[in-house]
Amino acid sequence: MNLLKKTKFLAFLLAFLMVSPAFAYTTGSINYRDVMANYSKAKAAQNEIEDRANELQRFLLDKEKEFKKLESPVQKKSFEEQTAKTFAQKQDAYQKFKIKKEKEIDDAIVAAIKAVAIENKVDSVVDARVMFFGAVDLTDKVIKKLNTGN
């Protein structure tokens, strides 16, 4: 009886191996760094984020100049408290803006990757840094889709 089970299992395994090419699995890869570097909206978003960060730095520099002009310790203390409160609000707004922009870009990239994968009949896509060979490189197609919408 045990031999019969082994024989059936081997027959099933051989049958499965014979039809497995019909279930071929295709993997694609993208170089995420190249996508980010060549996606026009990602560059624009990065510039916006940097501009906002520079605004924060300018705010602090301006407040430092104002602080140096104050003479009394009471004025300095009040100024420091108000500046710290305002800076915290500005910093929070900056962080929210940065997260929003990064999410927009990431969502667009993921959508483009999915669309390109479907168009090219690719079952899964990984970052090129984790797959040395054996994957279809979709990087240029993803960049083109992002920049042209096609």
Side-chain angles (χ1 to χ4, degrees):
M1 194 72 161
N2 198 10
L3 182 60
L4 182 61
K5 284 184 182 180
K6 286 182 181 179
T7 306
K8 284 182 180 180
F9 176 73
L10 286 174
F12 172 75
L13 185 61
L14 285 173
F16 180 76
L17 290 174
M18 289 172 57
V19 296
S20 65
F23 300 110
Y25 191 82
T26 306
T27 301
S29 68
I30 62 151
N31 185 320
Y32 196 83
R33 289 183 202 163
D34 284 353
V35 171
M36 287 295 288
N38 292 293
Y39 178 27
S40 58
K41 288 184 181 177
K43 288 187 229 179
Q46 187 59 38
N47 287 338
E48 287 180 70
I49 291 168
E50 287 175 13
D51 288 346
R52 295 272 178 113
N54 290 336
E55 285 176 24
L56 280 176
Q57 289 177 342
R58 280 192 300 277
F59 172 80
L60 288 176
L61 291 173
D62 291 344
K63 291 300 179 181
E64 185 178 349
K65 289 176 187 175
E66 288 179 42
F67 181 78
K68 288 179 180 178
K69 293 177 184 175
L70 298 175
E71 294 178 14
S72 79
V74 173
Q75 286 178 321
K76 287 183 177 189
K77 175 109 172 118
S78 174
F79 184 82
E80 283 177 337
E81 290 171 355
Q82 184 60 38
T83 300
K85 183 179 177 183
T86 304
F87 181 72
Q89 291 169 344
K90 287 180 176 289
Q91 195 171 30
D92 185 51
Y94 165 76
Q95 287 297 329
K96 287 178 182 175
F97 175 79
K98 182 180 178 196
I99 289 168
K100 178 182 173 235
K101 283 294 184 183
E102 288 173 346
K103 183 173 178 0
E104 287 173 6
I105 295 303
D106 191 54
D107 289 349
I109 290 171
V110 169
I113 291 169
K114 286 179 181 178
V116 168
I118 290 168
E119 291 166 7
N120 290 275
K121 296 177 176 49
V122 172
D123 299 302
S124 64
V125 180
V126 296
D127 192 299
R129 292 175 289 178
V130 298
M131 189 130 199
F132 294 112
F133 61 89
V136 177
D137 186 3
L138 302 173
T139 304
D140 292 337
K141 291 176 182 178
V142 169
I143 292 168
K144 181 179 179 188
K145 180 166 279 304
L146 286 166
N147 287 327
T148 64
N150 294 327

